[in-house]
Amino acid sequence: MTSVIERLRGRTAGFSVEFFPPRDRADEAVLWRSIRELEPLDPAYVSITYGAGGSSRQGTIRSIARVATETTLVPMAHLTAVNHSVAELRHVIGSYAAVGVRNILALRGDPPGDPYGEWVPHPHGLRYAEELVTLVCSLGDFCVGVSAFPYGHPRSPDLATDTAHLVRKFAAGADFAIAQLFFEAADFLRLRDRVYAAGCDKPIIPGIMPLTTPRTLAKTVELSAAEPPRWLVDRLLPLSDDPKSFRAAGLDITTQLCEQLLAEGVPALHFYTFNRAKATRELVGRLGLVRTRA
């Protein structure tokens, strides 16, 4: 199984896509239509998310198994420590390995129901993401990714502490990180500079949400835990009742952000898709990120 790191070592920057496991047959049809539409563009890897407390565990395993066995894509499965004992985590990791998945995004995870609520570890589980990284690495030859936060994790007291936490995850065995959403290229580049200054040069991939609707803008605000810059609000909010104009302006803004990041040498762009392919396909085309298979 090809690793994410091997895919990131190409001569030119690439892109990756993130999906979530379907809730029913209709969702599954949408997901697989999107996967098939993106497959010819040869993304560096495809990730499938994992619900809080394992709420979508079986859906994640089933979906990632299909990616591994029925497509030419490189699969990466998410895994969180929320509400799981170490024994349960070992079982999930073994399930991934059994279907040929060797790339895992190891996350502590958010409390179910309220992502900013109090985080309570399982009595027989793990407390920190770095412990989950150590566990995954101890169980086989896995390529492990972790999360990074351009504005700092909401529970970190300051950026220095947050940077130290990320560096510890790398020291525990993580191979790369995916940065949570942000609004301006400089926000991501400052994160990358902080990590490099701390003596770590592992690759960090920026997470990108195509701004196609007011909902995607609101989701970016929620996931970044930061206020959008005034210029962005002034440009997009007046278009909230004009879907076509909002989408056009939002994709122009997203394209400009991606171009700035690519000019700064990022190894890839990680697109959040909401299980739809259209916006990602359009951005990949604009940016010239279609790979030629070897």
Side-chain angles (χ1 to χ4, degrees):
M1 173 65 66
T2 304
S3 73
V4 167
I5 283 297
E6 288 172 326
R7 292 289 283 165
L8 295 180
R9 287 179 181 147
R11 297 184 195 174
T12 59
F15 75 100
S16 57
V17 290
E18 181 169 308
F19 298 110
F20 54 82
R23 293 166 293 186
D24 52 37
R25 288 185 173 229
D27 280 352
E28 188 163 13
V30 170
L31 168 64
W32 280 90
R33 183 165 59 248
S34 296
I35 288 174
R36 292 305 185 187
E37 288 178 4
L38 290 168
E39 185 175 10
L41 305 184
D42 196 22
Y45 61 90
V46 170
S47 73
I48 305 287
T49 64
Y50 190 89
S55 59
S56 61
R57 177 199 301 183
Q58 292 307 316
T60 302
I61 295 172
R62 183 171 59 253
S63 297
I64 207 72
R66 283 194 65 187
V67 172
T69 59
E70 298 180 21
T71 77
T72 59
L73 298 165
V74 174
M76 180 176 74
H78 291 212
L79 179 63
T80 77
V82 179
N83 288 346
H84 283 335
S85 67
V86 170
E88 289 170 331
L89 291 168
R90 287 175 176 271
H91 176 75
V92 176
I93 295 164
S95 297
Y96 288 152
V99 296
V101 175
R102 292 289 174 170
N103 300 293
I104 294 179
L105 188 69
L107 311 165
R108 190 194 70 172
D110 295 322
D114 180 5
Y116 300 110
E118 181 182 3
W119 197 87
V120 179
H122 187 284
H124 304 292
L126 304 176
R127 183 175 293 272
Y128 300 113
E130 65 187 88
E131 296 174 324
L132 183 56
V133 172
T134 299
L135 177 64
V136 175
C137 291
S138 74
L139 295 177
D141 184 21
F142 291 97
C143 178
V144 183
V146 294
S147 59
F149 300 88
Y151 306 114
H153 191 282
R155 293 181 182 84
S156 291
D158 51 54
L159 289 176
T161 301
D162 191 74
T163 302
H165 285 315
L166 177 54
V167 171
R168 282 201 295 271
K169 289 189 283 188
F170 283 131
D175 299 286
F176 66 98
I178 299 175
Q180 191 53 276
L181 295 171
F182 54 93
F183 295 103
E184 298 182 284
D187 301 330
F188 171 83
L189 297 173
R190 281 190 288 266
L191 163 67
R192 193 175 69 175
D193 289 346
R194 288 194 300 270
V195 174
Y196 186 79
C200 182
D201 62 355
K202 296 287 183 71
I204 304 176
I205 304 167
I208 303 294
M209 178 81 78
L211 297 175
T212 55
T213 65
R215 178 192 175 203
T216 57
L217 176 58
K219 195 66 176 178
T220 301
V221 173
E222 175 190 339
L223 293 177
S224 68
E227 291 297 318
R230 186 77 249 169
W231 67 263
L232 182 62
V233 173
D234 289 345
R235 186 168 177 188
L236 288 182
L237 281 195
L239 304 175
S240 295
D241 295 325
D242 184 348
K244 185 175 180 180
S245 296
F246 189 104
R247 187 180 190 280
L251 285 183
D252 284 346
I253 290 170
T254 307
T255 300
Q256 292 164 8
L257 172 63
C258 292
E259 288 172 340
Q260 292 166 354
L261 293 166
L262 292 170
E264 293 289 343
V266 299
L269 301 168
H270 183 74
F271 291 111
Y272 297 89
T273 67
F274 282 122
N275 287 11
R276 299 297 195 277
K278 185 176 180 181
T280 300
R281 288 172 54 205
E282 186 170 339
L283 286 168
V284 167
R286 289 187 184 190
L287 297 166
L289 294 180
V290 179
R291 289 175 180 249
T292 301
R293 290 186 182 273

